[in-house]
Amino acid sequence: MSKRTNGWKEEKIARYYAEGRGKGELASYKPWLTIQNVPSSGRVHRFKGWKTNRIYHFLSDLERDYCYLLDWSEDVIDIREQFPLDQEKTIQIAEDKQINHSVDPTTRTPIVMTTDFLMTVRRDNEIKYLARTVKPSGELNDN
């Protein structure tokens, strides 16, 4: 159960940005969502990452397990979980695709969408950024 109110308002989003959520790298990164911010129907995990030397916040066993692989990959330089996506871009994508963008059901405020992981990786002597979302196979056809 979440320890704080789960509703989204523009003020709350502005406060999260002011707190530096979704900013930083390695040990200084602050995830957009922590396990205290999201109600969970499953298990959540917090543990110190070997690669980043900071506490990760995972909302499922699957996210935790994927991070174990990333933490030990020689190509992965940084791991950022619960990474916020640009709200203007996600709203525009939803409009272009003619789908509804997620909004808070009470306030009707557009929700800042996140991806489970943003990784910094070294591939072919280049630094690249890869976003990944992990879901159980049973949820892949969920609209």
Side-chain angles (χ1 to χ4, degrees):
M1 175 69 68
S2 172
K3 295 180 182 176
R4 292 167 180 77
T5 56
N6 295 322
W8 289 100
K9 296 180 181 176
E10 291 299 332
E11 296 83 14
K12 182 177 178 179
I13 292 170
R15 180 171 45 88
Y16 274 30
Y17 281 120
E19 291 172 0
R21 294 189 187 213
K23 303 284 186 207
E25 294 180 336
L26 297 166
S28 69
Y29 175 71
K30 291 184 180 181
W32 183 256
L33 300 172
T34 66
I35 64 171
Q36 291 89 7
N37 303 127
V38 179
S40 173
S41 59
R43 298 186 325 170
V44 294
H45 303 277
R46 278 190 306 198
F47 63 90
K48 190 171 188 176
W50 174 77
K51 195 168 295 266
T52 64
N53 198 34
R54 67 173 177 78
I55 301 295
Y56 293 123
H57 291 257
F58 296 113
L59 308 178
S60 71
D61 291 348
L62 191 56
E63 289 179 5
R64 178 206 58 200
D65 295 349
Y66 187 66
C67 184
Y68 287 153
L69 295 173
L70 298 175
D71 223 9
W72 288 97
S73 171
E74 292 181 10
D75 295 337
V76 176
I77 299 167
D78 190 11
I79 303 165
R80 288 173 268 184
E81 78 281 11
Q82 317 312 330
F83 187 83
L85 304 175
D86 183 297
Q87 192 177 40
E88 290 180 15
K89 288 181 181 177
T90 61
I91 290 170
Q92 186 61 54
I93 291 168
E95 288 175 10
D96 292 348
K97 298 292 183 183
Q98 298 179 348
I99 58 175
N100 295 325
H101 191 278
S102 294
V103 297
D104 182 282
T106 304
T107 65
R108 306 303 300 162
T109 301
I111 294 172
V112 174
M113 307 299 288
T114 61
T115 188
D116 295 330
F117 295 93
L118 178 68
M119 295 98 56
T120 307
V121 298
R122 185 179 303 106
R123 294 244 172 104
D124 302 322
N125 292 323
E126 290 183 49
I127 301 299
K128 298 184 179 194
Y129 299 93
L130 304 174
R132 295 290 183 265
T133 298
V134 295
K135 299 290 176 224
S137 59
E139 293 181 16
L140 292 176
N141 291 324
D142 185 355
N143 290 333

